[in-house]
Amino acid sequence: MSVTAPSARAIAEVSSPPVAGGWFAYAREDAAASIVVALVALPLCLGIAHASGAPLTSGLVAGIIGGLVVPFLSGSQLMVSGPAAGLVTIVYASISELGGFEIFLPAVALAGVFQIVMGLLKAGVIKFYFPTDVMRGMLAAIGLTLILKQAVHLVGYDADYFGDTAFDQENHENTFTAIAHAFGATHAGATIIGLLSLALLFLWPKIPSAKIRRFPAGLFVVLLGIGLNALFRALGSDLMVQPEHLVAMPSSGGPLGFFGAVVRPDFSAFANPKVWSAAFTIGLVASLESLLSLEATDRLDPWKRTSPPSRELVAQGAGNFLAGLLGGLPLTGVIVRSSANVNAGGRTRLSAVLHGIWLLVFVLLIPGALNLIPLSALAAILIHTGFKLSPPSLYREMARIGWWHWLPFTLTIVSILLTDLLVGILIGLFIGGGVILLRHSRSPVLIPIGPPGSVLQRFILPVHLSFLNKAALANMLESFPPGSRVELDARRTAHIDYDILELIHTYAGLMKERGVDLRLVGVPSLPGGKPSGH
Amino acid sequence: MENYRRIMANNREWVKKIVESDPGYFDKLSKGQQPTFLFIGCSDSRAPAEVITGTEPGEMFVHRNIANQVQPADLNVLSVLQYGVEVLDIKHVIVCGHYGCGGVRAAMAEPFHGLVDYWIGGIRNIIRLNRHALEGMGGDEERFKRIVELNVLEQVYNLSQTPVVQQAWDKGPRPLLHGVVYDLHSGLLQELVVGLDSNKKAQEFFTPQLRMSLHGA
Ligand SMILES: [Zn+2]
């Protein structure tokens, strides 16, 4: 466990990006991280499939495709893809509306085609418009969500599915009632394993021996959990963790059983218009979630690599196309697994690929062994990741840099915590966009140069003048008393909206009548001649 | 000391006269200035800017030095120019020389006048560059007048090349540059160049031939 945020220590540890094409440049780190990611991903895949009302195998298929297909096409080094909690509501509704999972699968494949088309049309550029404050709020909220949601699993209260991120849970509780209930229903054995794991994860980087430190802490706590539980069982103790608090891989009856359990798509459903509208919704929402995850993962990258978003849409689309054909849930880039990947020291896309291989190996070869893993150990890994995503220093910094940063940040966190990731982020984007527009419309439209009290008041116009500045500019122009001399210099302005141009030229006439000497320098004339009226 | 006292007495009398005819006069002037002209003239006591131009206080921004120089590295004149053009929004900049200028005469003689010899080095160049034409002229007085005129033109040219004027002309035809000579004998101003308000007009006026005779290039 080495890096999460680019602290001085982290930068010292990972000094420079790997050379291009270095698939195996960090094989050891990537392999270690991939095991942790796969162990975390496993119950998430199962939990999300369960909550979506889909066969459990579909979650695993999506997870495996997210590892074995998407990373090869994606431009991201660290993002992990798989079934997403953010899609649960949509998937659940679509399956019941379409009347069966086999009819739903063609919609997933079609959604993938939509995504590929969007990617080829370069729709991914919207990634660059996610406001920083909202993205920071999103990461913090995910961190808090992990802490709050996983706290109940840490103490062995597994009423809700593992990996739920919505406030109103599948089981008609919400985040806070679940925590309250959990206090009355803790399981001592699970709690011991969970708390011990959590403590170990936090103390791991402080272990003096570098040799021990290099062992992936996440893997260690999982093995410790299995070991402790085996000990409890051997002792016949009440502390023994019951199967409902362990990973519950469906008993597939070996590789053939797994493939047999996978649902095949009903291709005749392509004729159904509802399939198309479901595909459209899924394609759109999955794309948004993937791009958000991509942006978030890029922000977590200690090497500050940036990933091409449109290429990501193509990669995700290919993944969903295959998922639809092979009986998987729709997948997206997922932040929890991606941040666990970063937190566990993943460096390149090899770790995402390996995570897919491990999932496949788990499913085919050792489904039984997985059922020995206490959920509370996995919860500890996610809570630790949550703390890394949501460190107290982040809140202090956001409070320090001003309310217009703090407001969208905080509102995004609150909305995500009280609704779910997707709805919350949309609220955050809406509010964040509003704050940005507000700030933009209040930004100075005329920048004074020259000393105050000059006979000639000289102003330069900002680099960019949009219609949002119209009211402010009109007020400013109104404010010059008769007899004043004003120079507006637009020679450094790269872009002026037509609205603004029209306003300036209209005022030029008005102000002349009013006895204001307005001199325009480098202000383009109106494309269609002067506006009527003067 | 008596001379000095006379100045103070004059001042009191002047104030009295002004306030009698216009009680608000000083109030108005103290509010601020919006002069239309910048006058760059010689320090010579016989060529007082406001008197010979008939301008009132508040109308003309004035800079005077020996032989009305606009030297490209003289922070004094450049500050006046920049403040005048960019802050006071001066419309006309007038370079005013005068016949019988002591500064020009000194440049025509051997250099032993002290510091001023450095100051008027530019005029010596003009004389050197025009030696031929000047030697062919009738008399000393005519030669002297011609050098005074060439000096004014050189300063107008220097003015046109300052960043302040160049930046202003980038924006529009303002300020206008004028070069005039004051005749101590008649009291008349003679116009040498009028209304340069753009690089185009400046180029038309300062032909290569004229520039050659002013600064050799
Ligand atoms: Zn003189």
Side-chain angles (χ1 to χ4, degrees):
Chain A
M1 303 302 255
S2 59
V3 288
T4 46
S7 66
R9 185 180 62 82
I11 286 166
E13 276 183 23
V14 285
S15 48
S16 60
V19 280
W23 267 92
F24 298 99
Y26 293 90
R28 203 185 58 79
E29 289 87 347
D30 286 332
S34 70
I35 297 173
V36 177
V37 176
L39 289 172
V40 168
L42 186 71
L44 289 175
C45 292
L46 297 172
I48 287 164
H50 171 73
S52 304
L56 293 184
T57 50
S58 67
L60 295 168
V61 169
I64 292 164
I65 292 173
L68 292 187
V69 177
V70 177
F72 289 95
L73 300 171
S74 162
S76 173
Q77 293 287 351
L78 294 175
M79 188 163 76
V80 178
S81 299
L87 292 179
V88 161
T89 351
I90 295 169
V91 172
Y92 188 89
S94 299
I95 293 173
S96 39
E97 168 145 356
L98 294 173
F101 192 66
E102 66 283 357
I103 306 171
F104 172 75
L105 287 173
V108 177
L110 260 183
V113 175
F114 284 150
Q115 286 186 295
I116 293 172
V117 172
M118 281 194 280
L120 295 178
L121 294 176
K122 303 285 172 209
V125 292
I126 66 156
K127 169 192 179 233
F128 299 112
Y129 295 91
F130 298 145
T132 296
D133 305 324
V134 175
M135 294 308 293
R136 291 178 135 194
M138 180 179 87
L139 283 171
I142 289 166
L144 291 176
T145 306
L146 283 175
I147 295 166
L148 293 172
K149 289 288 179 189
Q150 296 297 327
V152 300
H153 296 291
L154 189 79
V155 296
Y157 181 72
D158 300 310
D160 188 28
Y161 77 90
F162 194 87
D164 193 359
T165 53
F167 183 71
D168 290 310
Q169 296 174 173
E170 282 295 307
N171 62 351
H172 306 296
E173 293 187 334
N174 66 39
T175 306
F176 296 120
T177 58
I179 291 174
H181 289 165
F183 277 110
T186 54
H187 182 278
T191 308
I192 289 172
I193 292 171
L195 289 178
L196 194 62
S197 300
L198 195 58
L200 265 172
L201 288 168
F202 276 105
L203 293 176
W204 202 260
K206 300 198 167 61
I207 291 175
S209 158
K211 233 179 199 170
I212 297 176
R213 246 191 353 253
R214 273 160 57 149
F215 192 82
L219 183 56
F220 183 81
V221 298
V222 168
L223 295 175
L224 180 80
I226 295 172
L228 272 179
N229 200 30
L231 185 71
F232 294 153
R233 186 186 297 119
L235 295 176
S237 161
D238 287 345
L239 291 176
M240 189 182 114
V241 180
Q242 300 303 314
E244 65 262 34
H245 305 309
L246 298 171
V247 172
M249 273 291 286
S251 51
S252 56
L256 287 177
F258 175 72
F259 289 122
V262 169
V263 178
R264 304 271 180 269
D266 174 3
F267 289 111
S268 67
F270 281 122
N272 184 347
K274 281 181 183 169
V275 166
W276 287 74
S277 71
F280 193 70
T281 312
I282 291 166
L284 221 53
V285 176
S287 297
L288 180 63
E289 182 145 355
S290 289
L291 292 177
L292 288 168
S293 303
L294 190 67
E295 175 67 15
T297 310
D298 281 356
R299 279 167 188 278
L300 293 174
D301 186 349
W303 282 330
K304 298 285 160 226
R305 289 164 290 192
T306 53
S307 315
S310 292
R311 179 172 158 191
E312 188 60 39
L313 290 184
V314 174
Q316 295 291 336
N320 276 327
F321 180 69
L322 274 178
L325 296 185
L326 299 178
L329 279 177
L331 50 104
T332 75
V334 278
I335 307 171
V336 170
R337 273 154 277 180
S338 302
S339 49
N341 185 23
V342 175
N343 200 18
R347 303 273 166 100
T348 77
R349 62 184 85 197
L350 179 65
S351 101
V353 174
L354 285 177
H355 123 276
I357 292 176
W358 298 138
L359 281 180
L360 190 63
V361 168
F362 293 165
V363 166
L364 296 185
L365 301 181
I366 52 165
L370 294 171
N371 291 345
L372 299 175
I373 302 174
L375 285 176
S376 59
L378 297 175
I381 293 174
L382 289 179
I383 290 175
H384 181 244
T385 304
F387 273 110
K388 293 288 167 130
L389 288 176
S390 184
S393 60
L394 176 64
Y395 300 90
R396 281 199 298 274
E397 195 200 331
M398 293 309 291
R400 193 175 53 76
I401 61 176
W403 71 268
W404 56 89
H405 291 290
W406 181 86
L407 189 72
F409 171 77
T410 306
L411 286 173
T412 303
I413 295 175
V414 172
S415 338
I416 290 176
L417 287 184
L418 292 185
T419 58
D420 62 37
L421 187 58
L422 217 51
V423 173
I425 195 76
L426 287 176
I427 294 172
L429 284 175
F430 191 74
I431 293 167
V435 170
I436 286 169
L437 290 187
L438 191 71
R439 296 236 316 141
H440 192 75
S441 66
R442 295 233 173 128
S443 65
V445 282
L446 297 179
I447 301 153
I449 51 174
S454 302
V455 172
L456 175 63
Q457 300 180 57
R458 297 188 299 136
F459 298 93
I460 53 173
L461 301 176
V463 176
H464 183 93
L465 266 175
S466 76
F467 66 97
L468 293 167
N469 305 116
K470 204 172 169 183
L473 183 62
N475 285 337
M476 196 89 181
L477 292 176
E478 287 280 358
S479 71
F480 296 116
S484 45
R485 307 184 210 174
V486 181
E487 176 187 287
L488 302 187
D489 189 343
R491 285 175 300 175
R492 278 174 244 180
T493 306
H495 174 81
I496 307 181
D497 272 5
Y498 181 84
D499 299 45
I500 295 282
L501 218 48
E502 198 178 59
L503 180 90
I504 291 177
H505 286 292
T506 306
Y507 263 92
L510 273 174
M511 288 170 80
K512 200 173 180 183
E513 287 166 23
R514 212 183 285 166
V516 176
D517 180 357
L518 179 68
R519 299 173 208 168
L520 303 180
V521 180
V523 176
S525 48
L526 284 172
K530 291 198 166 192
S532 57
H534 74 270
Chain B
M1 200 59 189
E2 210 169 296
N3 297 339
Y4 170 73
R5 284 293 159 214
R6 189 165 52 87
I7 286 180
M8 298 306 289
N10 286 348
N11 169 260
R12 298 297 186 274
E13 203 157 308
W14 171 71
V15 171
K16 215 162 96 187
K17 245 194 263 173
I18 296 265
V19 175
E20 266 171 25
S21 62
D22 181 0
Y25 182 83
F26 290 106
D27 271 352
K28 264 182 282 170
L29 272 185
S30 65
K31 294 259 160 63
Q33 57 169 339
Q34 294 197 4
T36 312
F37 307 99
L38 166 58
F39 182 97
I40 299 172
C42 181
S43 299
D44 196 301
S45 60
R46 296 163 298 172
E50 288 88 349
V51 176
I52 65 174
T53 56
T55 46
E56 296 294 323
E59 282 189 273
M60 195 154 79
F61 203 45
V62 174
H63 176 80
R64 290 167 70 181
N65 59 34
I66 291 177
N68 43 275
Q69 297 292 289
V70 179
Q71 295 180 1
D74 175 14
L75 275 180
N76 190 344
V77 71
L78 292 179
S79 310
V80 169
L81 179 66
Q82 181 178 37
Y83 192 79
V85 171
E86 293 181 2
V87 176
L88 298 178
D89 195 31
I90 294 284
K91 184 157 190 191
H92 301 277
V93 183
I94 301 159
V95 176
C96 180
H98 66 107
Y99 297 132
C101 181
V104 173
R105 200 199 316 273
M108 295 167 72
E110 293 300 315
F112 53 79
H113 304 84
L115 281 177
V116 77
D117 286 319
Y118 296 101
W119 182 248
I120 56 180
I123 308 176
R124 285 186 201 284
N125 275 338
I126 296 175
I127 296 169
R128 185 172 49 80
L129 288 164
N130 294 276
R131 176 151 299 147
H132 241 65
L134 289 169
E135 277 170 0
M137 291 179 112
D140 275 353
E141 197 55 29
E142 204 185 336
R143 234 187 314 273
F144 187 11
K145 281 185 153 186
R146 184 61 190 148
I147 299 170
V148 165
E149 290 164 4
L150 287 172
N151 178 44
V152 169
L153 292 178
E154 166 73 354
Q155 307 318 319
V156 173
Y157 178 79
N158 287 347
L159 202 53
S160 75
Q161 296 304 302
T162 55
V164 175
V165 169
Q166 285 294 317
Q167 282 167 21
W169 283 355
D170 261 0
K171 297 188 281 192
R174 196 181 169 115
L176 287 78
L177 310 185
H178 315 277
V180 300
V181 183
Y182 178 65
D183 189 336
L184 293 175
H185 292 288
S186 66
L188 292 174
L189 288 172
Q190 188 193 327
E191 299 181 65
L192 300 178
V193 51
V194 180
L196 300 184
D197 62 3
S198 63
N199 275 319
K200 187 168 168 289
K201 279 197 186 161
Q203 261 165 25
E204 278 166 15
F205 182 82
F206 289 104
T207 57
Q209 200 187 350
L210 176 55
R211 285 177 55 191
M212 188 60 84
S213 71
L214 290 176
H215 41 260

